[in-house]
Amino acid sequence: MANQTTPQRRFPLRYIATFLALLASVIIGLVASNGNASPSVQEYYGSSESRFGYWLLLGNTRHCGLYRKGQLSPFPISTAHRAMEQKLYTRLELSPGSKVLDAGAGSGYVAIYMAQKGLNVQAIDITPHHIADARKNIKKHKLEDKVSVEYGDYHDLSSFPDESFDGIYTMETFVHADDPVKVLRNFYRLLKPGGALVLHEADFSRNTGTLQDVLRLSHCQNTLEEGGYQELTEKVGFKDFSLEDLTDEVLPMWRLFGVLGYLPYQLFRILGIQDRFINVMAGVEAWLNWGDGRYISVRVLKP
């Protein structure tokens, strides 16, 4: 009598597909922002999408990397981050022992780099988990004697006396200002005569509805049109304006964002939920419309 084998039961593919769809729905629901049409800075950086994305892709560093012109690969990203921090340090043109204000410290990596170069850094931020992260990272690098991190809003720097700093910088945080002129006046007051202000920020040459959606949802409403930084800084009294266009040197990172986010972004658009994934939206739209904006390093001096 022939041996009879029990046929193997296949797990229906529809069950697998349903499970994956449900899992994807749960992940999307957990990661998506709360849908606030005009989020605050704290809401933007506190959203699950922002926190997860910065951790996964950038190791909790919150700024662009700097690459060689023409480079295709965005890796290693940490090397590019350090190169951007070196660029900012070079633009400050300060000697070791100088005191600087980091106006928007994020997780503290820029302040750490500046301290390792010999600068004394007073760092401020308005987002509680940024402050906690920065303090932890500074302690890990044993730089508590070189870097201090406090809660602070650059719209109100009254706790610091006049001419407190040899230099002030922002690394992609001035775009969040609600009143940019007031912020620049605060910076001007705090700088010693001859002190340098360096802003690593973005501007744009072509305005669109999509761009304004991205800026609103990421609370970057202070992103200026080309020429705006010179106009504002000179209005406040700064002199010796200089600008370096670093757009081509940050492209590898934004290309990575665009490629990784392209398919999810198109799906989100079909579902009408693209506004709840602002970092995906910003990454893809910046890549698709490359050339409509710039990444710039602005340097001015207080006379």
Side-chain angles (χ1 to χ4, degrees), residues 49-61:
E49 190 217 11
S50 288
R51 298 184 73 163
F52 180 73
Y54 281 115
W55 170 78
L56 180 65
L57 292 177
L58 302 182
N60 267 339
T61 300

Side-chain angles (χ1 to χ4, degrees), residues 5 51 55 73 118 131 151 162 203 258 290-291:
T5 59
R51 298 184 73 163
W55 170 78
S73 172
I131 297 170
Y151 174 88
D162 294 356
D203 64 8
W290 200 255

Side-chain angles (χ1 to χ4, degrees), residues 2 4 10 19-20 57-58 107 116 142 160 245 250 277:
Q4 293 184 350
R10 291 187 177 180
F19 172 77
L20 292 176
L57 292 177
L58 302 182
S107 293
Q116 290 172 335
K142 300 180 180 180
F160 298 110
D245 186 344
V250 300
F277 295 87

Side-chain angles (χ1 to χ4, degrees), residues 32-50 126-127 155 175-178 211-222 274-279 281-282:
S33 68
N34 61 15
N36 190 334
S38 298
S40 65
V41 174
Q42 295 94 329
E43 287 173 328
Y44 165 67
Y45 282 112
S47 73
S48 297
E49 190 217 11
S50 288
I126 63 172
T127 304
H155 292 88
V175 290
H176 294 304
D178 294 317
L211 172 64
Q212 291 305 312
D213 285 342
V214 170
L215 300 182
R216 171 176 51 82
L217 292 166
S218 58
H219 202 278
C220 291
Q221 72 288 346
N222 183 43
Q274 69 275 13
D275 286 5
R276 300 194 65 186
F277 295 87
I278 179 55
N279 292 294
M281 182 182 184

Side-chain angles (χ1 to χ4, degrees), residues 22 99 151 163 180 206 209 220 272 293:
L22 288 172
K99 186 175 181 180
Y151 174 88
E163 301 180 3
R206 188 173 76 93
C220 291

Side-chain angles (χ1 to χ4, degrees), residues 124-140:
I124 60 171
D125 204 285
I126 63 172
T127 304
H129 77 267
H130 284 179
I131 297 170
D133 286 348
R135 288 174 174 168
K136 179 181 67 177
N137 291 328
I138 289 162
K139 184 176 181 179
K140 179 179 177 181

Side-chain angles (χ1 to χ4, degrees), residues 9-21:
R9 295 172 61 92
R10 291 187 177 180
F11 200 69
L13 290 178
R14 66 179 181 274
Y15 293 161
I16 298 175
T18 300
F19 172 77
L20 292 176

